[in-house]
């Protein structure tokens, strides 16, 4: 029986060395959710494309009949987000969101909205938009997509000044916001605390 094969589009959320022979990746697939993938180190030549953190790529995979990990056969970059590493806070918050995805993807029923949300977040961080604003909007939309009353409970119970700012941030497209004004750390911390307290989402 031939080994199962899969061709999918995904975001690379983590990479690490696995023993002496393999690189291990965790990839958020648009159709399959979280995939564990292995790539053997080549002793003959350096691959033309080196997978990198936060890549959006088209990948071809193959899995042994008895294995749980997929082996990477081909990797074609759709978009690369090198700019995230140029700003420490941006990279930190993007990594925080990637960690959230790794913790929660196994519990998500459908992946289309979350995949689209991930694409928008990474593109916004890449373009240099306020990293805290991007994470705030992303966490809000993720909680809403998962069916939690983030507007009815979290937003409604904010102090008036923070509720007004949250309204401005959440109701406008990110490119139209004025980023001269910093997002108060309390607003981002507040939604994180609410998600931790009121939902099953793991932060």
């Amino acid at each position: 029986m031939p080994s199962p094969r899969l061709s999918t589009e995904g975001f690379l959320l983590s990479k690490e060395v696995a023993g002496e022979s393999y690189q291990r990746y965790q990839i958020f697939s648009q159709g399959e959710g979280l995939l564990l993938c292995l790539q053997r180190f080549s002793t003959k030549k350096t691959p033309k494309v080196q997978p990198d953190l936060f890549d959006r790529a088209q990948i071809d995979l193959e899995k042994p009949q008895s294995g749980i990990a997929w082996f990477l056969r081909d990797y074609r970059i759709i978009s690369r987000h090198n700019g995230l590493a140029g700003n420490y806070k941006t990279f930190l918050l993007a990594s925080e969101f990637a960690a959230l995805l790794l913790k929660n993807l196994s519990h998500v029923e459908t992946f289309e909205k979350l995949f689209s949300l991930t694409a928008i977040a990474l593109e916004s961080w890449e373009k240099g938009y306020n990293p805290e604003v991007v994470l705030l909007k992303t966490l809000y939309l993720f909680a809403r997509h998962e069916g939690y009353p983030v507007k009815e409970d979290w937003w409604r119970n904010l102090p008036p000044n923070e509720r007004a700012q949250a309204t401005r941030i959440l109701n406008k497209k990110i490119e139209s916001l004025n980023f001269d004004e910093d997002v108060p750390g309390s607003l981002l911390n507040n939604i994180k605390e609410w998600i931790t307290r009121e939902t099953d989402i793991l932060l």
Side-chain angles (χ1 to χ4, degrees):
M1 182 180 295
S3 298
R5 294 193 174 189
L6 175 66
S7 182
T8 187
E9 183 179 332
F11 291 103
L12 199 158
L13 300 180
S14 75
K15 55 182 293 187
E16 59 183 341
V17 175
E20 298 181 356
S21 303
Y22 294 97
Q23 187 82 33
R24 179 164 52 208
Y25 307 113
Q26 293 188 84
I27 294 175
F28 175 17
S29 160
Q30 184 175 22
E32 306 294 327
L34 189 62
L35 299 174
L36 175 62
C37 307
L38 297 174
Q39 182 181 39
R40 186 185 295 274
F41 290 126
S42 175
T43 58
K44 297 179 180 180
K45 60 181 180 179
T46 302
K48 292 181 181 179
V49 177
Q50 293 278 10
D52 201 6
L53 199 61
F54 304 125
D55 280 351
R56 181 174 184 171
Q58 183 69 34
I59 55 175
D60 294 335
L61 304 167
E62 184 174 359
K63 183 164 64 172
Q65 292 290 343
S66 60
I68 59 171
W70 293 88
F71 285 85
L72 192 62
R73 297 176 61 248
D74 193 29
Y75 188 90
R76 302 180 297 280
I77 294 172
I78 296 172
S79 58
R80 176 155 276 181
H81 300 96
N82 293 327
L84 274 67
N87 181 291
Y88 176 74
K89 181 176 285 187
T90 296
F91 185 79
L92 190 67
L93 295 186
S95 298
E96 182 179 324
F97 181 62
L100 178 151
L101 292 173
L102 292 173
K103 293 175 183 177
N104 291 279
L105 275 170
S106 61
H107 308 297
V108 174
E109 293 184 2
T110 59
F111 305 112
E112 184 177 351
K113 287 182 178 180
L114 184 53
F115 191 89
S116 177
L117 185 61
T118 300
I120 293 169
L122 290 174
E123 289 167 7
S124 298
W125 279 316
E126 176 71 18
K127 290 176 181 177
Y129 295 130
N130 185 309
E132 292 172 319
V133 167
V134 175
L135 185 57
L136 176 66
K137 289 174 73 72
T138 302
L139 291 177
Y140 178 89
L141 290 172
F142 179 43
R144 193 175 73 178
H145 292 335
E146 289 301 294
Y148 293 106
V150 62
K151 180 178 180 180
E152 295 81 359
D153 189 4
W154 173 75
W155 174 84
R156 191 177 300 278
N157 290 304
L158 285 171
N161 61 324
E162 290 193 4
R163 187 165 63 246
Q165 186 170 39
T167 301
R168 181 177 64 85
I169 290 171
L170 297 171
N171 286 349
K172 288 187 176 182
K173 292 185 177 181
I174 195 163
E175 58 268 22
S176 67
L177 290 168
N178 175 11
F179 290 104
D180 293 335
E181 181 183 359
D182 289 336
V183 178
S186 59
L187 190 57
L188 185 55
N189 289 336
N190 196 304
I191 196 170
K192 289 180 182 179
E193 291 172 0
W194 184 88
I195 288 173
T196 300
R197 185 178 66 251
E198 302 293 340
T199 80
D200 293 325
I201 296 171
L202 301 175
L203 297 183

